[in-house]
Amino acid sequence: MMKRVKRPFVRRSPLRVCGLTCGLAAAFYLGTAPVVLAQVNDAILQAEPEIASVEDPALVGRDTLQSVLASVYNSNPRLLAERARLREVDENYIQARAQGRPVLSAGGSIDAQAVRTPVTNSFFGASGGTTTGTPYAGQLSLIQPVYQGGRVKALKRQAKAGILAARAGLDNAENNIFLSAANAYVDILRDEEAALIRRNNVRVLQRQLTAANDRFEVGEGTRTDIAQSESRLAAAEAGLAQADAQLAVSRALFVRIVGRMPNQLTPAPAFVLPGTLDEAIRLARDNNPQLLAAYYNELAGAAAIDVAKAAGRPSLSLQGSLAASRQTILGVEQTDQATIGAQLSIPIFSGGINKSRVRQAEHARTRLGFEARDTERAVDQTVSQVWAQMDAARQIVATSERQVAAAEVAFEGVTLEQQVGTRTQLDVLDAEQETLNARLNLINAERDLKGAVFQLLSVIGVFDAEGIALPIGRHDPDAYLSSVAYDGFKEAGDRFIPEAMQKIGVQAPNIVLDPARTVADGVGLLELDERADGLGDRLQELGGALKEGTDRITGQTPHYDPRIDDPDVIIVTAPDPVAAGRIPDPDDILPLQPTELPDEQVDEEHDPDLIIVLPAAD
């Protein structure tokens, strides 16, 4: 199991070993009381921010954003489906590992037989007739793969990368679902406020209509004033009906995501955000789960190339069996048999299918690399767009607040002037409409600002249970794989197989690359000194040449390498995701066998980070 590092704001479940240099934290401001923020220590956040509990007595009986997200985390069916999908993907590693382990099988048979032979007379007497019996037999066989062309090791690398991609996909789903829930939360707050404003507007216009009728009765008003008031009141009632309908729609969406009706929602908290756009982009590059999934899919594509190549390489396995038969009617009545042997298979010609699969895997690896580059650009674009929308929303909120204040003053002034006869009824109605529009613009701007903040946190990859430190029990993506990786016979086998055999078994797929050091490390009896190192280097070169020769004979070499075959092509390379530190090596994260050694670097035929730029024509 990997060592967990507490990082309350920026984290990825499978990537906790990645340190991030940021001064960014997600913290709640419940009401007006600020919550203690996480302290930055050595440019990495170490402490979790204190957050008001869902059981806060002041909030009992009311929904907070925190309690709503906790409900989503525990019961949203789409999120639960993603967790089930992760467990489904976890099994790929178990299945890949099993292909390099012994296969033990037993079989047996029992028959009822009747054999009739002609009756013959001889010197010794009569023989023949009908013979009956119940012969039975049993067999126990064991097959141990020794070398499969590196297929098992490549399958395990592919499975590890696929598991980490699935974990990133789970994080992405959690961020997206939390974003939808938070948007539904603030939509209800906005729609409730809009319905309240429109309902108050209807009451004000009803009073205006009553006042117009009273003035008409005493001869100070006209029927035109009454008609204008009735028209505005009818429009206000229609707006109120629309607001109530929109509130019902928002509540239905809330129930769809959260699973229950909202209960007296409290104002949404505020979050501490990155200080600059560049910092936000950097954090998104480090934490966006969709981008991390693309990186791990890229590694899985690289491993798939070795899986395809293994089909054209020799395979070696050891086989042994024990068999026994009893009460045989014909022949020997009782037999016992034990066999042991080795089977070597060398592919010679497969009709071109192996070569085609290798090329297909190489093209897939290249495609996944370009898709990762495209995802990087998409993340940068999304962060930039959301940042611009957030800045615009802040400015709109500020201007809307000034607009509301000015409209309220104007409405009060026009009302007083209308009472002294310097303003008409239409002026008052217009002022009331401007005040209504200003208030609606303000609540819409505030909702847009909160939505932009939520989306920024989601794109950065921290709008999830750990990123906002929900005080609930959290799903551990390691738990299932750890529980099934070693259980029953598999754990016992690994425990009692000698350590040296385990080491040799792990290194067997690539033993030809470094035979001297492999034997020394596996058996644990030799220590190569400087003189032996020279021999080991020569053997390694010979082993590499043998492997390359085998690949060429079996058609494993690439048809086209732009770095070699076309000197006019300009190559722009991007660093490997693991080498560049964008993601950790899968072997440093997922649980391995107790004595399993780290995977070696993949020899790639096509660099997934290549961007081929052809020079302009003269």
Side-chain angles (χ1 to χ4, degrees), residues 244-255:
D244 288 339
Q246 181 59 47
L247 177 58
V249 170
S250 297
R251 285 175 175 169
L253 178 60
F254 183 93
V255 173

Side-chain angles (χ1 to χ4, degrees), residues 146 500-509:
V146 176
M501 292 297 295
Q502 291 190 39
K503 288 185 177 182
I504 292 177
V506 169
Q507 295 195 19

Side-chain angles (χ1 to χ4, degrees), residues 260-310:
R260 58 178 175 82
M261 288 293 291
N263 181 27
Q264 300 179 4
L265 302 184
T266 59
F271 295 86
V272 177
L273 300 174
T276 63
L277 174 59
D278 291 339
E279 184 181 2
I281 292 177
R282 178 177 60 81
L283 291 171
R285 281 292 191 100
D286 290 337
N287 292 271
N288 182 273
Q290 189 175 1
L291 182 57
L292 297 178
Y295 289 153
Y296 281 119
N297 286 331
E298 196 176 351
L299 294 181
I305 298 176
D306 281 355
V307 174
K309 285 184 175 182

Side-chain angles (χ1 to χ4, degrees), residues 39 65 79 113 120 139 151 158 256 268 275 278 291 322 326 360 372 399 409 431 438 443 452 494 526 584 590 616:
Q39 301 297 321
L65 179 61
L79 187 57
Q113 293 183 351
T120 59
Q139 182 178 9
R151 182 172 181 270
Q158 186 179 23
R256 162 73 175 81
D278 291 339
L291 182 57
L322 297 174
R326 297 290 185 271
Q360 183 182 40
T399 57
V409 171
I443 62 173
D494 285 341
L526 298 177
L590 292 177

Side-chain angles (χ1 to χ4, degrees), residues 482-520:
S482 299
S483 67
V484 299
Y486 293 101
D487 61 342
F489 176 77
K490 296 191 297 293
E491 182 177 5
D494 285 341
R495 179 177 301 173
F496 293 107
I497 292 177
E499 181 177 344
M501 292 297 295
Q502 291 190 39
K503 288 185 177 182
I504 292 177
V506 169
Q507 295 195 19
N510 286 319
I511 194 170
V512 70
L513 294 178
D514 197 352
R517 292 188 178 86
T518 299
V519 174

Side-chain angles (χ1 to χ4, degrees), residues 239-438:
L240 176 59
Q242 185 177 5
D244 288 339
Q246 181 59 47
L247 177 58
V249 170
S250 297
R251 285 175 175 169
L253 178 60
F254 183 93
V255 173
R256 162 73 175 81
I257 299 172
V258 182
R260 58 178 175 82
M261 288 293 291
N263 181 27
Q264 300 179 4
L265 302 184
T266 59
F271 295 86
V272 177
L273 300 174
T276 63
L277 174 59
D278 291 339
E279 184 181 2
I281 292 177
R282 178 177 60 81
L283 291 171
R285 281 292 191 100
D286 290 337
N287 292 271
N288 182 273
Q290 189 175 1
L291 182 57
L292 297 178
Y295 289 153
Y296 281 119
N297 286 331
E298 196 176 351
L299 294 181
I305 298 176
D306 281 355
V307 174
K309 285 184 175 182
R313 293 172 180 167
S315 61
L316 176 66
S317 63
L318 300 178
Q319 300 178 354
S321 64
L322 297 174
S325 62
R326 297 290 185 271
Q327 299 183 11
T328 303
I329 295 178
L330 299 178
V332 182
E333 181 179 359
Q334 175 177 329
T335 60
D336 295 310
Q337 181 180 4
T339 60
I340 186 172
Q343 181 176 358
L344 176 66
S345 175
I346 302 177
I348 297 177
F349 179 70
S350 60
I353 188 173
N354 291 336
K355 195 172 183 180
S356 175
R357 286 172 177 170
V358 172
R359 292 196 304 268
Q360 183 182 40
E362 290 170 347
H363 296 323
R365 167 71 164 84
T366 303
R367 171 182 57 79
L368 292 170
F370 286 127
E371 287 178 354
R373 305 295 86 73
D374 181 69
T375 304
E376 289 175 352
R377 295 182 181 183
V379 169
D380 293 348
Q381 176 193 7
T382 303
V383 173
S384 299
Q385 290 177 343
V386 174
W387 191 269
Q389 294 170 358
M390 191 170 57
D391 282 344
R394 286 197 185 102
Q395 297 178 17
I396 295 174
V397 168
T399 57
S400 297
E401 289 174 346
R402 295 197 303 270
Q403 182 184 9
V404 169
E408 290 175 346
V409 171
F411 175 66
E412 182 179 357
V414 170
T415 302
L416 294 176
E417 292 172 3
Q418 191 257 354
Q419 292 175 0
V420 298
T422 60
R423 291 282 187 171
T424 65
Q425 179 68 12
L426 181 59
D427 294 333
V428 176
L429 295 175
D430 288 342
E432 167 64 18
Q433 185 65 38
E434 290 180 1
T435 304
L436 171 67
N437 293 338

